[in-house]
Amino acid sequence: MKTSEIRDLIDFISKSGLNEVNIETKELKLQVKREPDQKVFKSTSVVAPVAAAPVATAAPVASAASAPAPASKAPAASSDSGKKTIEIKSPMIGTFYRSSGPDAAPFVSVGDKISKGQTVCIIEAMKLFNEIESEVSGTVVRVMVENSTPVEYDQVLFVVEPD
């Protein structure tokens, strides 16, 4: 891999919002990390050596996403009980998972009490598993996304009634 290709790859990674990328070929081993304070799980899938074409193909998808931010919250319409609710939204484009594995219990369900900083789901983006943490304490009123479905940036994932 040429130095210019490595620079382009690092530039692409910084714009895509990824936290960690590992690339290993016969000639090269490249590891790029940023924002070490965020929790990131590695995929167990085997990754084929990266060629120029897949990077170019992935660029339009990644450029559509903004850099991930902590799970955002926004006031929502009042619930039936007349209390205010808060929406936990997706900070990135990816695949939504309610649990850490197919046989594991969901991180949160309707009626569960959650606290600020508690993991509420995982979003997989480009083979990286990102834990999404709640920015608010309260009770989960609704789960807005089905397990293993794609989500968009800023899509509502959960509706929470704050404490």
Side-chain angles (χ1 to χ4, degrees):
M1 198 171 209
K2 296 178 186 173
T3 305
S4 62
E5 292 173 321
I6 293 172
R7 285 187 188 136
D8 290 342
L9 181 61
I10 291 171
D11 186 47
F12 167 75
I13 291 166
S14 68
K15 290 179 182 175
S16 70
L18 293 175
N19 295 322
E20 181 177 348
V21 174
N22 294 311
I23 298 172
E24 189 170 345
T25 65
K26 292 179 183 176
E27 304 88 27
L28 173 75
K29 182 175 182 180
L30 178 67
Q31 180 178 20
V32 179
K33 286 185 181 180
R34 66 181 207 147
E35 299 182 274
D37 58 323
Q38 287 189 341
K39 297 177 184 176
V40 177
F41 292 104
K42 293 182 181 178
S43 172
T44 57
S45 302
V46 176
V47 178
V50 175
V55 172
T57 304
V61 173
S63 64
S66 299
S72 58
K73 56 183 180 175
S78 297
S79 64
D80 292 337
S81 63
K83 294 184 181 180
K84 285 278 191 184
T85 57
I86 303 292
E87 296 173 338
I88 298 175
K89 297 182 178 182
S90 176
M92 65 187 72
I93 294 173
T95 304
F96 172 86
Y97 295 103
R98 291 190 62 194
S99 63
S100 59
D103 297 330
F107 289 108
V108 296
S109 298
V110 173
D112 288 354
K113 293 272 188 191
I114 60 171
S115 57
K116 186 174 183 175
Q118 178 180 342
T119 301
V120 293
C121 66
I122 292 176
I123 295 182
E124 177 188 10
M126 298 181 77
K127 303 288 183 194
L128 294 175
F129 293 83
N130 301 282
E131 287 186 344
I132 306 304
E133 297 176 350
S134 175
E135 290 290 319
V136 64
S137 296
T139 304
V140 177
V141 177
R142 289 184 66 190
V143 178
M144 303 298 290
V145 182
E146 292 293 322
N147 194 40
S148 303
T149 58
V151 292
E152 296 293 325
Y153 172 76
D154 214 30
Q155 179 176 344
V156 177
L157 304 174
F158 299 93
V159 177
V160 177
E161 189 176 278
D163 288 337

